[in-house]
Amino acid sequence: MPAETGSHQRLATVPTSAVLKSVPAHTTPAAYTVQYGDTVAAIAARFGLATVDVLTWNDLGWRSVIYPGQSLRLTAPAAAPAPAPAPSPAPAPSAQTHTVVAGDTIFAIAQKYGTSIDAILAANGLSRDSVIYPGQVIAISAAASPQPAPAPAPAAVPPAAPDTAGTTHMVVVGDTLFAIAQKYGTSVAALYAANGLGPSSIIYPGQSIIVAAAAEAPASTPAPAETAVLNAPQAENAAMIIGIGRELGVSERGIAIALATSMVESWLRNLDWGDRDSLGLFQQRPSTGWGTPEQVMDRDRSIRVFYGGQSDPNGSTTRGLLDIPGWESMTFSEAAQSVQISAYPERYGAWETAAYEWIALYG
């Protein structure tokens, strides 16, 4: 019943379905220029679109910042990657295809079809920096699994480190420090150190980022296992996360991911402050559609929104763990990162062992 109530509240606050019915598809402009005070969620609702689609079409994350004068795409990108299937004629006889839906990732698609990320990238002429979008057709090459062999070669080339030492990256719309670090084979910590930045820093289009050489950094990326003795408020919040997860039929692993995520984001506390407008147990942002400040601070509701699924109080406005295709086969950190889009995805996995201990203690 609480989930239904939350759903009615959301529909009363943001009548997305009503907008979808009243605004014909052809009236939606191809692009929109951001005005002062705009948010992605408000722009999406105005034109009867899902927030997650607008983010995807513009290569943005839940924590990306938009600014006045910025142009946002309001339609799915043209099928520019269509010529890419050219490399796939060889495996054509046994090739499969997959039509991308909201929430899909190359990793999840590879897991679903029993192939590798590199095989899918090669079969579609994509790179690790490519963005996929709903409606795009992805070729699945079953015979491309040997392709990963060439991939390790660049990583093993010693000159890579000196090359990145003096490299700079010009920030474009949608960039995050995590994505930049991934692109240049370095770490977020190395970018912080080289540019005098910190976790609360905001980067902006046109900014030049120094890419420090940190080839060794990824080796130490897996954070050591963390542990903590919970105080009374933390234990109460942990019990709520466990209880609601079981009520929704979430697996023990899914509950552990929720516990670890809350520990990383808020230290398992229902915070009324955070980075920009982030609030609550999971540091969800009202400006990106997670709910009003009051709704985000409602522990019961915010937990249900993190889990998502059919009983998500936010409906399809945001994407919870259960809405991520193939999350069960992702690593612990990858599953949490798919919901949170954090600059520090490796931190979630460090709490995996502790999360299972909390389930045993408070479940």
Side-chain angles (χ1 to χ4, degrees):
M1 294 299 287
E4 284 185 295
T5 303
S7 178
H8 292 318
Q9 290 174 344
R10 180 187 70 76
L11 289 171
T13 306
V14 185
T16 306
S17 59
V19 175
L20 283 170
K21 291 177 182 177
S22 62
V23 181
H26 68 268
T27 64
T28 302
Y32 172 81
T33 301
V34 178
Q35 306 298 313
Y36 182 79
D38 274 344
T39 65
V40 175
I43 294 169
R46 185 180 312 166
F47 294 104
L49 303 171
T51 302
V52 68
D53 288 336
V54 176
L55 293 174
T56 301
W57 296 336
N58 292 278
D59 195 20
L60 301 175
W62 289 110
R63 299 198 177 193
S64 297
V65 175
I66 60 175
Y67 53 88
Q70 179 178 352
S71 179
L72 293 183
R73 181 192 294 275
L74 297 184
T75 57
S88 62
S94 59
Q96 294 177 287
T97 60
H98 173 85
T99 301
V100 178
V101 297
D104 267 353
T105 63
I106 294 292
F107 173 82
I109 295 170
Q111 290 289 305
K112 179 177 180 179
Y113 292 96
T115 185
S116 67
I117 292 175
D118 290 300
I120 290 182
L121 294 178
N124 293 275
L126 302 175
S127 71
R128 290 183 179 272
D129 297 322
S130 298
V131 176
I132 59 174
Y133 52 86
Q136 181 177 356
V137 177
I138 298 293
I140 310 297
S141 176
S145 50
Q147 295 264 31
V157 176
D163 285 346
T164 58
T167 300
T168 59
H169 173 85
M170 188 68 71
V171 177
V172 297
V173 175
D175 267 352
T176 64
L177 287 174
F178 174 73
I180 295 170
Q182 290 288 299
K183 179 177 181 178
Y184 292 96
T186 184
S187 67
V188 175
L191 293 183
Y192 281 160
N195 294 275
L197 303 175
S200 60
S201 298
I202 296 175
I203 59 175
Y204 52 86
Q207 181 178 357
S208 182
I209 298 293
I210 299 172
V211 181
E216 320 83 61
S220 58
T221 296
E226 299 277 4
T227 185
V229 176
L230 304 186
N231 59 27
Q234 289 173 312
E236 180 181 325
N237 291 330
M240 282 190 70
I241 291 172
I242 297 168
I244 292 173
R246 288 181 172 164
E247 173 194 326
L248 297 175
V250 181
S251 66
E252 295 288 280
R253 186 167 186 269
I255 293 173
I257 290 170
L259 288 168
T261 301
S262 181
M263 191 62 175
V264 169
E265 298 292 348
S266 69
W267 207 246
L268 269 170
R269 296 174 297 172
N270 197 34
L271 300 178
D272 60 359
W273 56 273
D275 176 42
R276 300 169 213 168
D277 60 335
S278 300
L279 298 168
L281 287 170
F282 298 96
Q283 291 291 279
Q284 296 157 338
R285 296 184 62 195
S287 65
T288 54
W290 290 93
T292 64
E294 293 75 18
Q295 288 173 330
V296 172
M297 287 297 296
D298 181 334
R299 293 181 297 170
D300 183 281
R301 186 183 189 282
S302 71
I303 293 169
R304 293 177 187 277
V305 169
F306 176 84
Y307 284 128
Q310 294 187 349
S311 60
D312 187 343
N314 272 350
S316 60
T317 302
T318 52
R319 195 167 62 216
L321 182 65
L322 301 180
D323 303 314
I324 307 298
W327 72 267
E328 301 95 333
S329 59
M330 295 181 182
T331 66
F332 201 85
S333 287
E334 286 170 339
Q337 170 69 355
S338 294
V339 180
Q340 298 298 108
I341 318 297
S342 166
Y344 303 98
E346 72 280 357
R347 292 185 178 179
Y348 302 116
W351 289 97
E352 181 173 3
T353 300
Y356 282 109
E357 292 174 355
W358 297 332
I359 292 176
L361 282 172
Y362 306 110

